[in-house]
Amino acid sequence: MSVPIPADEKRHEKGPERLWSESWYMDWFDDEGKNGGYVRLAVCSNLNECWFWCCIVGQDQKPVFIIDHDAAIPDPPGLEIRSTGLWADLAVESPLEYFSVGVEAFGVALDDPREAYGDMRGEKVPVGIDLGWATDSHENKSDGSEPWAFHYDVTTRYEIPCRVSGEVQVGEKKSQIDGWGQRDHSWAERDWWDKGWTWFSGRFEDGSRFHAVAVEGHDLGIGYHSSPDGLIAEHRIVSNPQLGPEGIPTNGHVTLGETVIEFEPIGWAPVLLTDPDNGHISRFPRGLVSIQTNDGRKGHAWIEFNQPQK
């Protein structure tokens, strides 16, 4: 792993691949881990598409979805989009230190997250988001001397654990957020309909962090976990979800080196992905989960599973 540079935060020249895309991902959960959400913006230049996802979940509440694959690609260098019933602006306020997201839109509250794979029929609700992701650098080393923003040398992506604060409004309910999350930025070919993968990132109650990616058919993954002396890179990553109806996991565990992390779902916000050229389908359950390790640590995380439908 290496530390990204401020220039990495800028938009990148597109590659030649049909499925080349550049994406920005932000998730969060509150300090108790009971409520959270995620935002994703992807510029799919060679498909002439822009994908925007904003999903909000919580314990004992309906998941809320804003899914738009028809937004116009934002003019460089910014990341502001406007579409029917949707405005969103993602901005690097201070490179590698602070990222903001604003959303004003109408979402759909579903009785069952599995309905996200169908017609998305549900209650229409207004959604407002004003959140900031501040890089959580003080826990990387005991003296806080190094930034906590890490680039995987074998990929064109970097991951940044963050402190997340601001306000989320769903309908008439306003929530002040002072919690935790992760943001990442990647630019490469991404074929959702070829291989499955697991992405997993979270925080334990002792302040330690982890991230893990396992790709179907590959023996090695990429990941890290924190220690008092910094981050430890891991490549031995195995994902073992227990799948329920429609492939949405009921529980499971991910092995990160010698650490086994069990997860229990709090709320799922899946997305259905259709290749615009050939109609291939991939299901993409992404959810907020509670976690516990084989050494007794507890915490919360976001986990996702890409599931191409062969």
Side-chain angles (χ1 to χ4, degrees), residues 62-124:
K62 295 179 180 180
V64 176
F65 297 78
I66 302 166
I67 306 294
D68 191 331
H69 291 174
D70 297 318
I73 293 176
D75 294 329
L79 294 172
E80 182 181 12
I81 63 169
R82 295 180 184 272
S83 186
T84 302
L86 166 65
W87 168 85
D89 191 16
L90 287 62
V92 178
E93 305 287 356
S94 180
L96 303 179
E97 294 182 1
Y98 194 82
F99 193 97
S100 68
V101 174
V103 178
E104 294 179 5
F106 286 99
V108 177
L110 300 180
D111 291 330
D112 188 323
R114 292 176 294 176
E115 295 172 2
Y117 293 150
D119 295 332
M120 296 281 287
R121 296 181 182 272
E123 179 188 0
K124 187 176 181 180

Side-chain angles (χ1 to χ4, degrees), residues 151-302:
H151 187 285
Y152 287 113
D153 293 333
V154 296
T155 69
T156 51
R157 72 177 302 127
Y158 54 92
E159 303 276 345
I160 306 180
C162 295
R163 188 81 194 232
V164 185
S165 60
E167 184 178 271
V168 174
Q169 181 169 358
V170 178
E172 298 297 320
K173 181 181 178 181
K174 289 185 179 180
S175 301
Q176 295 297 320
I177 304 299
D178 184 11
W180 310 93
Q182 181 97 349
R183 74 175 177 99
D184 71 39
H185 182 196
S186 65
W187 55 99
E189 181 182 24
R190 180 174 296 191
D191 190 340
W192 301 84
W193 305 279
D194 180 25
K195 290 183 173 61
W197 70 71
T198 300
W199 179 102
F200 196 21
S201 178
R203 180 183 185 273
F204 296 107
E205 292 173 350
D206 64 3
S208 58
R209 297 276 201 158
F210 73 92
H211 174 252
V213 176
V215 179
E216 183 181 282
H218 289 260
D219 294 333
L220 298 178
I222 55 174
Y224 63 75
H225 62 86
S226 60
S227 75
D229 297 322
L231 295 188
I232 299 175
E234 293 285 1
H235 297 283
R236 296 169 298 157
I237 298 168
V238 180
S239 175
N240 290 284
Q242 300 299 312
L243 301 182
E246 306 294 341
I248 297 178
T250 57
N251 57 65
H253 66 271
V254 173
T255 302
L256 178 65
E258 299 298 325
T259 302
V260 179
I261 306 173
E262 297 181 355
F263 67 86
E264 293 285 344
I266 294 172
W268 290 105
V271 179
L272 183 67
L273 296 162
T274 304
D275 188 313
D277 290 340
N278 55 36
H280 291 172
I281 296 295
S282 185
R283 290 174 175 166
F284 186 67
R286 197 173 204 270
L288 175 63
V289 296
S290 60
I291 53 175
Q292 181 169 335
T293 66
N294 54 340
D295 59 14
R297 288 176 293 160
K298 296 181 179 180
H300 296 88
W302 277 92

